[in-house]
Amino acid sequence: MGTKKEGEPGDSAVKAIIGSIESSADSDRLPPLKSLAEKILGRASADFFVDRSKEDLANTVKEIFELLEAMDPDGIAVRVRQRPEFGHLGGAEVIIGDRPFIVDTVRQYLTGRGFEIRHQLHPVVVVERDERGQLARIRDWRAAGKRTSVMYTEFEGHLDQAIIKSVEEGIQACVEDLLLATDDFPAMLAKTDEIAAILRADARRLPNRAPEIDEVIAFLNWLRDDGFVFLGYREYDLCNGEDGRRYASVSRGSGLGILRSEQESSAWEPILVDELPSDIRSRALQEEVLLVSKANSESRVHRRARMDYIGVKKLDAAGRVAGERRFLGLFTWQAYAENAGTIPILRQKLKLVLEGANFPEGSHDYKAIVALFNDMPLEELFLVSVDDLREQILAVMATEDTGDVRLVVTPDALARGVNVVVILPKRNYTDEVRGRLRTEISKALGGSILNDHLSIGAGDTARLHFYISASPERVDRADIEALGGLVESIVRTWKQRLRDALGERYGAEMVHRLVDTYFDAFSAAYVATVDVETAVEDIYRLEALQTSGLMQVALEDHENGELSASDLRLFVSRGTMILADAMPMLEQLGLRVIEADAMEVGEATIHRFVVQGPDSGRLDRGDVGPRLADTLRAIAAGKADSDQFNRLVITAGLSWPDVSVLRAYSAYAFQIGAVTSRRAAPDALNNHPEVARILFDAFSVRFDPDFPLLRRRPDSRSRSSASRASAMT
């Protein structure tokens, strides 16, 4: 929050609040109370005072004053309350001896809990107390004496007592970690110098390992020089027990910072190395002097992120691993901003990657490797082997101009998880794509994503890096090839996938024409709701519509949920049919329309219906589909009437010309007075569709010399039915 200038709107508010304090405070308490009010409110922005009474703000200052006076000067005070006088806001007060990262730590905790911070005031003061411990003076931070941080934060949220207790405890835990880390920070810095001195002695007595050890010393110096926020330190020993087996244990008295409480370690009492979890055992026995990894736990100090883990091995006289010196903390923003190729340890990895790629120094490919190496996530560069880094970088280079999608899966050397890199065209990246990839990759590999990173360089590709906690056994069982196909389908746009699908059906020249004709014609609604396979079929029918001018019809099973229904799509020239025209036509066919919509594609309209047949179920695509399509086309072309007789197309298995015969007989029967109503015949036949079938068969027997009676009615019952129909005729 910026410094408020003299004369800004908040100045008069501060004076009014101090005036309210003067009228209500005891005279002996007034000087330090007024001073605290000036320090707290003096840097608040003008909007902090809007719609707030001076009495409420004066009470807020008094309450903070009372908390400051009552607390242990060397301790921590945390209080969380609902602030109804300021609207639906919660308030958190944190008072602690001044140190780095206080604001970040509290802010990160609250935002991590989902609270939106509205105001945060953070004066640093020097507190003087009298012999009774009461506040005598509160001075500016530049005065001589111990500095105290007084933080007041307001955030959105309705707080009940359970939430208040939880938030207070959470802030308390974060601030206690902060206290431990900052109090022991000088000692942890001194440890880097101490370890470097030990390593120099190791290098002298183990000359064959001197180059490796010298690089580790350089790395420790880099950490010390603003490369690392040291949060905790602890040492571990590996030694042989009386039974001849190796044990791991904490080096008593070595803990610093957040690792000061050594008894919380599972190795407080010696534990068999063989009984350690596989990833911890692998880490403990690793022969390399330096180990850089990610801890499983999040930092509660400075920023909410998985902590970085720096392990430096203890070596015995023979150069064997005898234990570990462990730092926990966070790489600084300065470290992330630095070129990775200049960082000790990583610069050696870059050298080996370049040597293995075997490109001439200074060439385009050589420079590309350096640029891609420097653009990779810092954590991944430490975790991934040289060979795997080379594979990833060459994969990116290979896809730079192709627009391909690549998936590279690399199990981490300590068997704690897996690194996954998705290489994709930059134009295909969206936040939605990133979210879907997170979900599907973690599901396929059976783990949770602990870290992800997006790299968008100067070229045409982007990279998504995921680190997933997954067991080696689960990763081995995963079908990486199938996952690659799924990733590609997620990354490639709908139109890219449609182009590929058209390429499988048509030649290149035809695909080019179809793309030019239809791709710009597809609306956003069409792209969002129609899958690629259906779109290919739609294009086929749109082409047929353009060629023949006749309505095209598609009937598919409805795939949404448990509803037994069919999807019916009608393709017509634009302007020749509206939904109001289509609905009666479908209802006359006996169809129940559940949903209906229409989408324009160029000069055509696609009417889509979710329908059920007369039996309230799905239509048989193979049996009913062709007859239904012919009937709809005939009605649209004016060749067939649209009336109740058309139900017989579905219920009696008749074609539209067959139905026309029965319609003609019905009209004739009405004309000669054989029936009293035009509705009598269609109602009767629709109630008994098997009779309609028999009547038409009787017509065919009499007038169609090629009528396949035996093939259509092979059993005696059917033949007798036909005879009865003939007699009726």
Side-chain angles (χ1 to χ4, degrees), residues 31-303:
L33 186 52
K34 285 176 56 179
S35 179
L36 182 64
E38 291 168 351
K39 304 296 186 297
I40 292 176
L41 302 174
R43 295 176 65 88
S45 60
D47 62 336
F48 178 77
F49 302 97
V50 174
D51 295 330
R52 300 185 181 208
S53 72
K54 61 183 180 182
E55 290 79 15
D56 286 338
L57 289 171
N59 285 334
T60 299
V61 173
K62 291 176 186 176
E63 290 164 355
I64 296 172
F65 181 88
E66 291 166 359
L67 182 65
L68 174 61
E69 187 169 53
M71 69 175 286
D72 180 348
D74 296 321
I76 304 168
V78 176
R79 182 169 60 192
V80 175
R81 290 179 293 168
Q82 186 77 59
R83 306 306 304 247
E85 68 272 29
F86 300 142
H88 301 302
L89 294 177
E93 299 151 27
V94 180
I95 305 176
I96 184 176
D98 190 40
R99 59 198 64 238
F101 310 135
I102 296 173
V103 174
D104 293 344
T105 298
V106 175
R107 177 178 286 273
Q108 289 286 324
Y109 173 79
L110 289 172
T111 56
R113 286 285 300 261
F115 296 115
E116 182 180 349
I117 293 176
R118 292 285 302 276
H119 300 287
Q120 195 164 34
L121 309 179
H122 177 226
V124 177
V125 299
V126 174
V127 176
E128 295 180 3
R129 296 174 183 265
D130 60 23
E131 63 278 2
R132 295 173 298 169
Q134 292 186 325
L135 299 184
R137 295 181 67 188
I138 294 180
R139 306 175 67 186
D140 185 83
W141 63 272
R142 286 164 290 201
K146 180 183 176 182
R147 296 175 182 172
T148 298
S149 172
V150 180
M151 185 187 305
Y152 174 72
T153 306
E154 288 180 352
F155 51 92
E156 294 277 0
H158 292 277
L159 310 181
D160 59 24
Q161 288 304 309
I163 294 176
I164 288 174
K165 185 173 185 294
S166 171
V167 173
E168 272 188 356
E169 290 174 349
I171 293 176
Q172 182 80 25
C174 291
V175 176
E176 286 176 354
D177 274 3
L178 173 66
L179 197 66
L180 291 170
T182 51
D183 282 352
D184 286 352
F185 188 76
M188 288 186 277
L189 285 182
K191 277 294 176 185
T192 63
D193 294 334
E194 179 185 322
I195 295 168
I198 294 170
L199 289 175
R200 279 189 285 271
D202 289 340
R204 287 192 294 271
R205 62 187 178 80
L206 301 168
N208 59 319
R209 302 194 67 174
E212 175 194 2
I213 293 172
D214 288 344
E215 191 70 1
V216 174
I217 294 170
F219 180 70
L220 288 174
N221 291 334
W222 176 82
L223 292 177
R224 191 186 192 287
D225 295 336
D226 295 327
F228 199 67
V229 178
F230 293 89
L231 299 179
Y233 175 81
R234 189 182 289 161
E235 295 184 17
Y236 298 84
D237 295 317
L238 291 177
C239 58
N240 292 329
E242 294 179 358
D243 56 4
R245 294 187 291 179
R246 299 199 84 184
Y247 287 81
S249 61
V250 171
S251 298
R252 305 283 176 101
S254 64
L256 296 171
I258 63 172
L259 295 179
R260 192 191 293 177
S261 182
E262 298 165 1
Q263 290 180 323
E264 294 178 0
S265 171
S266 60
W268 172 249
E269 296 294 340
I271 183 172
L272 272 171
V273 171
D274 291 341
E275 294 179 356
L276 292 170
S278 59
D279 60 324
I280 298 176
R281 183 170 63 251
S282 173
R283 190 171 63 203
L285 299 178
Q286 179 179 307
E287 292 186 357
E288 287 83 357
V289 174
L290 181 71
L291 170 64
V292 181
S293 184
K294 277 286 186 184
N296 289 327
S297 53
E298 274 194 340
S299 167
R300 295 191 291 202
V301 176
H302 185 31
R303 65 177 186 266

Side-chain angles (χ1 to χ4, degrees), residues 291-347:
L291 170 64
V292 181
S293 184
K294 277 286 186 184
N296 289 327
S297 53
E298 274 194 340
S299 167
R300 295 191 291 202
V301 176
H302 185 31
R303 65 177 186 266
R304 305 291 285 191
R306 289 175 62 228
M307 286 184 285
D308 297 295
Y309 172 115
I310 312 294
V312 182
K313 295 302 173 67
K314 296 179 179 180
L315 303 177
D316 65 15
R320 293 178 302 224
V321 176
E324 180 184 299
R325 304 172 182 94
R326 178 181 304 173
F327 292 100
L328 287 183
L330 298 166
F331 287 117
T332 63
W333 294 121
Q334 178 179 316
Y336 283 105
E338 190 171 341
N339 273 348
T342 65
I343 296 173
I345 304 299
L346 296 186
R347 63 191 179 191

Side-chain angles (χ1 to χ4, degrees), residues 26 239 303 372 545 575 621 653 671:
D26 295 337
C239 58
R303 65 177 186 266
L372 288 169
L545 172 66
R621 294 165 53 196
Q671 288 177 356

Side-chain angles (χ1 to χ4, degrees), residues 691-712:
V691 173
R693 174 77 259 177
I694 292 170
L695 286 172
F696 184 76
D697 282 353
F699 172 82
S700 299
V701 166
R702 183 157 188 172
F703 296 107
D704 183 358
D706 297 324
F707 181 68
L709 179 62
L710 293 179
R711 180 171 61 81
R712 184 177 285 217

